[in-house]
Every structure is written in structure tokens, then in C-alpha cells.
Amino acid sequence: MHRVECVKIDTLVSGEMNCADFKSKLLINAGRPAIVNVNIGTTVKGAIDDLDNIIRTLEKCGFRDRFYIHCDGAVAGLMMPFIKQAPKVTFDKPIGSVSISGHKFMGCPVPSGVVITRLEHVKVLSSDIEYISSRDATIMGSRNGHSPLFLWYTLNKKGYKGIQKEVEKCMRNAHHLTSRLREKGVSAFLNELSSTVVFERPRDESFVHKWQLACEGSIAHVVVMPNLGVEKLDGFVEELAVGRRMWHEDEGFSVPCVAKDIGEENCLCDVHDKNSRAA
């Protein structure tokens, strides 16, 4: 929208921002202020960027008071407050805004989102609209009135304790799925603060379509949300295990290497699994 130059930052194997590369990119662009997007749950691997380290890096590189941080918590933003070891995303830190989605973890029936920002930024966007006798703070000049009703209803129906239980269930089931995949010899990876399980991409596209798997390159993922129970996850794993044997029947089976995507310690291919056993 603003036609500013976008600079991509490298990531670690986990999917979170590589602060060493971030530092080098900042120093290359030292003469300009920085707008930084911090992910609270990346799309593919569910990685959580280290907000405190990012702030320290900005300040060490001479960007104090010359940066704006937006925290994108579309998936995990509503889960983080209920995970004890999770870092705090708070306006006590020098961030500009936080966003969450209502149709992901909360399960609202229509796409929706909430942006929380500082009042000074809202005032810049706001304008008086005479014919509705109100101030408008949206970019498009309009928004869906049903979305906040769905979100309000969901929050009130579940309550604090209800959301906490659902977060705990998601995390528990994500660990269960990761363990079951590894038991079947499927390379799998789960970030510590995430419910997104990453594993080797199934060879059969009809299987991918049936289970509506999101794939990228040689990996796929399952985002474990409150609607997924252990029975469904176990059924998925069993069907994947049977399918794997069938897909490789004619050519002989060997576990594909996904070390570059999920790390050597999580890869169960012949090379890296032997190395892990030797270690």
C-alpha cells in the first residue's frame, strides 16, 4: 500500500527470524527507519519470532526510536497468553500493533481479525464521516458487522477457563501427533510453543487432497486446532502409514530426507536416523 521496499530476512530451520541476518540487513539500511513484521506463529512451521531479541537487535544497530514493530498473531496470538513458558507480547514493550484472527483458533464461521494498536496511530487513520455521524478508523471505509458479534459470542461462551483448556488440548494433541508419526517412521517436527506439526510430504496427491494438507516443497503440516481429537489424528496417521507402503511398493521404500526443512535431529532418513542413533 505504501510502496516501501520490502527486505526479506532469513529464517532458522525452526522457521523463526534469523537475528544474525536481521542485524546485517539493518546495518545495510542504517540510514532508514525500519518497519518490522514479527510472527507469532508462522504459516508453515508455527514458529514464534523472538520479540525481545529483535528489539535488542534494533537498538544495538542504532535504530532506537526509529522502528515500528507489528506482531502478527493470526494463529497463535490468542494461544500465547495461556502457555506458561511463552514470551509476553505486551504494549509495555516498544511495539506498535498486534493482530489476531477470529476464524482460526477461535473458530468463527467467517474470516475476521482484530488489530490492537496505540491510540496515536488510530488517530492518524481516523476521519469524521458526516453522513453517518461517526468517526471511521478503517482503511477500506467499511467492515463486516457480523464478525465482531461472532467473536464476542465465542469469547463469552468459552470464557477464560474454556480457552485455556482448548489451548492445553491443542498442545497435548500436537505432541501426540508428532510422537505417533515418529513411531511410524515418519519424520516430524514440532516447535516448542506451537500446535503446528510439520512432516514429510505424502507422495500421493489424492491423500493430500482428502486430508486437505497444506504443503510446501518436501514438507506438509497439520495445524492442530480444538476441533481435532486424538481419534481423528490416529486415523490420519494409520492411513498415512498404510499409504506410504503402497506408494513405494514398486520402487522399494526409503524415508525421504527432509533435514534441510526440519533439522537433522528430526529427520528419520537412513543417513540422519543412523547418525542420531550413533549419538
Side-chain angles (χ1 to χ4, degrees):
M1 288 177 65
H2 295 287
R3 298 184 182 182
V4 296
E5 182 185 355
C6 179
V7 178
K8 293 182 179 180
I9 310 300
D10 291 343
T11 60
L12 304 174
V13 174
S14 64
E16 70 179 89
M17 187 187 294
N18 183 333
C19 279
D21 185 60
F22 180 49
K23 179 180 178 180
S24 68
K25 299 284 175 59
L26 286 173
L27 294 175
I28 291 170
N29 296 277
R32 298 184 288 176
I35 301 173
V36 185
N37 184 76
V38 173
N39 278 295
I40 313 298
T42 57
T43 305
V44 177
K45 297 182 180 179
I48 312 295
D49 287 336
D50 189 337
L51 175 59
D52 292 336
N53 197 13
I54 288 168
I55 293 170
R56 282 195 298 270
T57 303
L58 283 160
E59 292 178 343
K60 285 179 181 177
C61 291
F63 280 78
R64 185 183 293 274
D65 300 324
R66 291 198 304 126
F67 64 83
Y68 181 97
I69 292 177
H70 171 68
C71 296
D72 181 357
V75 177
L78 279 171
M79 298 176 72
M80 288 299 99
F82 300 94
I83 302 174
K84 289 181 181 178
Q85 66 273 33
K88 301 300 180 187
V89 178
T90 166
F91 282 93
D92 289 335
K93 299 176 182 180
I95 64 173
S97 51
V98 180
S99 62
I100 62 98
S101 291
H103 58 286
K104 294 177 181 176
F105 174 72
M106 296 307 294
C108 292
V110 295
S112 57
V114 175
V115 178
I116 304 172
T117 187
R118 298 181 186 275
L119 187 59
E120 61 195 84
H121 302 317
V122 176
K123 288 178 177 177
V124 172
L125 278 175
S126 300
S127 57
D128 290 309
I129 310 298
E130 183 180 2
Y131 72 89
I132 60 172
S133 301
S134 181
R135 287 183 67 78
D136 176 52
T138 67
I139 293 172
M140 300 295 292
S142 180
R143 61 183 172 186
N144 185 341
H146 282 97
S147 297
L149 290 175
F150 286 133
L151 191 55
W152 173 87
Y153 174 80
T154 305
L155 289 169
N156 277 273
K157 183 179 179 182
K158 294 181 178 181
Y160 184 94
K161 291 293 183 183
I163 297 172
Q164 185 176 40
K165 286 181 180 179
E166 289 197 341
V167 171
E168 291 169 355
K169 174 188 174 184
C170 290
M171 300 298 285
R172 188 170 58 249
N173 286 350
H175 282 279
H176 174 80
L177 175 59
T178 306
S179 297
R180 293 284 288 119
L181 286 167
R182 288 173 178 165
E183 286 171 10
K184 295 294 183 180
V186 179
S187 300
F189 166 70
L190 175 65
N191 268 302
E192 182 185 3
L193 304 174
S194 174
S195 67
T196 299
V197 180
V198 185
F199 54 96
E200 64 186 65
R201 180 176 186 160
R203 289 277 296 273
D204 184 54
E205 287 304 312
S206 63
F207 180 88
V208 170
H209 180 74
K210 175 184 175 180
W211 289 95
Q212 300 178 24
L213 297 177
C215 300
E216 183 178 83
S218 59
I219 56 174
H221 76 196
V222 170
V223 182
V224 180
M225 290 284 102
N227 63 307
L228 289 177
V230 170
E231 187 177 343
K232 171 79 78 172
L233 296 173
D234 284 345
F236 166 75
V237 173
E238 291 299 327
E239 189 171 326
L240 175 60
V242 172
R244 266 170 115 221
R245 290 193 292 270
M246 291 172 54
W247 305 329
H248 299 273
E249 211 168 30
D250 298 331
E251 57 193 73
F253 177 71
S254 62
V255 177
C257 181
V258 288
K260 67 179 180 64
D261 297 297
I262 63 174
E264 293 182 5
E265 68 276 15
N266 299 300
C267 182
L268 298 181
C269 74
D270 292 339
V271 174
H272 297 106
D273 194 31
K274 286 177 182 176
N275 289 342
S276 64
R277 280 200 296 268

